[in-house]
Amino acid sequence: MEQIASRPSPDQVPLLKVENITKTFGAVQALRGVSFTLERGEILALVGDNGAGKSTLVKIISGVYPPTSGQIFLNGQVCTFDRPAAALAAGIETVYQNLALIEELDVADNVYLGRETTRWGVLGRWLGILDRPSMRRHTAQALGQLHIKIPAPTLAVRRMSGGQRQAIAIGRALTWGRELLILDEPTAALGVDETEQVLRMIEELRATRGLSFLVISHNMQNVYRIADKVVVLRQGRHVATLRKEETTVEEIVAYITGAKESAFN
Ligand SMILES: Nc1ncnc2c1ncn2[C@@H]1O[C@H](COP(=O)(O)OP(=O)(O)O)[C@@H](O)[C@H]1O
Ligand SMILES: [Mg+2]
């Protein structure tokens, strides 16, 4: 009797699979064929010198640009995100380097930005009446669970430190139940203590909630500490994928600078 092939269950396929992605902007070849997989609960660091193509790759994964060629799979399904909202709806939340928090708004308003809860259903939505008490309650609850110490959900973001802002941005992603968080240089603007808090938050969220992270960073010590896997880009080329336990900071840097040739050819 013939065996009917069953579909792979969600935990047998990688959460994210990037296959042979290329991107050209006019004469510039920003990406020349990048492939990697990100397993559920994995922390992947994307590294490379300025202009290597990191931000372009993240923008393709998060639906800002279409790739010139290649495919993205999420939970085994091919994805063609034609806009950021499509990636968001699929469970991919991206925290860009500038964070996109609105300085004058309070914490709750920032967490709910663009997805505000309105009172009185359809009519309220149409009139734009926000249910602030419920938004604040929900925000305080969500951030509280993350051990993010925010003075009060009613405090304007401009009065907060860099670490608190990063935490709010991550908290916003979590409030909406994402499974993949993409963080572009999450600690670049932070001091030593705040960097430590953000790194701990990433490690804890992976451990307690099984969240997956794709992190861009220039700080090799941080990368080496939190990443399970490191993908190195150089001038748009994918030059190495290294498992943390099989590499060193020196080797990662050698691939970034070109002192070490691509592992793939
Ligand atoms: N929108 C764009 N138009 C034209 N060229 C771009 C655009 N975005 C990025 N590039 C070019 O693509 C290359 C990779 O850039 P980027 O992805 O920003 O690198 P990284 O984030 O690693 O510093 C660079 O040569 C950059 O100038
Ligand atoms: Mg960049």
Side-chain angles (χ1 to χ4, degrees):
M1 218 169 84
E2 213 175 334
Q3 188 85 28
I4 296 167
S6 61
R7 290 182 71 171
S9 82
D11 39 88
Q12 287 173 310
V13 295
L15 174 62
L16 177 74
K17 184 174 173 193
V18 168
E19 201 170 79
N20 216 6
I21 293 288
T22 71
K23 181 70 182 175
T24 52
F25 295 105
V28 178
Q29 252 204 302
L31 294 171
R32 299 161 186 260
V34 181
S35 304
F36 62 81
T37 57
L38 173 61
E39 307 298 329
R40 242 168 236 88
E42 199 168 47
I43 301 177
L44 184 151
L46 181 61
V47 303
D49 212 345
N50 279 336
K54 306 179 298 293
S55 294
T56 302
L57 183 57
V58 158
K59 286 175 182 164
I60 289 170
I61 298 169
S62 58
V64 177
Y65 302 139
T68 300
S69 66
Q71 286 182 306
I72 309 273
F73 298 83
L74 194 67
N75 289 312
Q77 307 284 316
V78 172
C79 298
T80 41
F81 300 134
D82 54 356
R83 55 201 155 52
L88 207 60
I92 299 176
E93 180 103 17
T94 305
V95 181
Y96 296 98
Q97 194 166 352
N98 61 15
L99 293 185
L101 296 176
I102 309 287
E103 299 267 309
E104 299 308 316
L105 294 180
D106 70 24
V107 177
D109 283 340
N110 266 290
V111 167
Y112 276 82
L113 200 62
R115 324 181 223 212
E116 293 86 351
T117 304
T118 49
R119 276 184 175 168
W120 303 314
V122 176
L123 180 65
R125 210 165 301 139
W126 182 63
L127 294 170
I129 304 165
L130 301 185
D131 189 354
R132 284 238 153 62
S134 132
M135 281 165 55
R136 290 194 174 132
R137 219 170 32 243
H138 197 119
T139 301
Q141 235 170 29
L143 297 180
Q145 282 167 11
L146 300 173
H147 317 292
I148 298 171
K149 300 281 178 287
I150 301 299
T154 50
L155 193 69
V157 158
R158 91 185 114 77
R159 311 220 354 233
M160 298 191 186
S161 71
Q164 287 172 331
R165 288 161 182 242
Q166 194 71 41
I168 294 165
I170 294 173
R172 178 172 63 189
L174 294 172
T175 302
W176 302 101
R178 303 295 161 213
E179 51 180 341
L180 172 59
L181 261 72
I182 302 180
L183 309 176
D184 194 347
E185 295 283 2
T187 60
L190 307 185
V192 175
D193 290 351
E194 290 196 325
T195 294
E196 181 58 29
Q197 283 172 18
V198 169
L199 295 180
R200 282 215 191 119
M201 184 159 56
I202 293 171
E203 286 170 333
E204 194 181 317
L205 288 170
R206 184 262 287 279
T208 60
R209 300 201 182 191
L211 285 182
S212 312
F213 289 87
L214 195 164
V215 182
I216 294 181
S217 180
H218 272 102
N219 185 317
M220 286 309 123
Q221 305 303 329
N222 293 350
V223 163
Y224 196 72
R225 166 166 157 195
I226 64 168
D228 304 302
K229 194 191 267 180
V230 182
V231 169
V232 188
L233 301 185
R234 181 171 159 73
Q235 295 168 356
R237 287 198 171 80
H238 178 198
V239 293
T241 294
L242 306 159
R243 292 213 63 84
K244 198 246 291 282
E245 64 273 14
E246 292 164 3
T247 190
T248 58
V249 170
E250 291 70 28
E251 188 184 37
I252 299 167
V253 172
Y255 278 116
I256 292 172
T257 59
K260 198 161 173 173
E261 289 290 321
S262 168
F264 300 124
N265 45 53

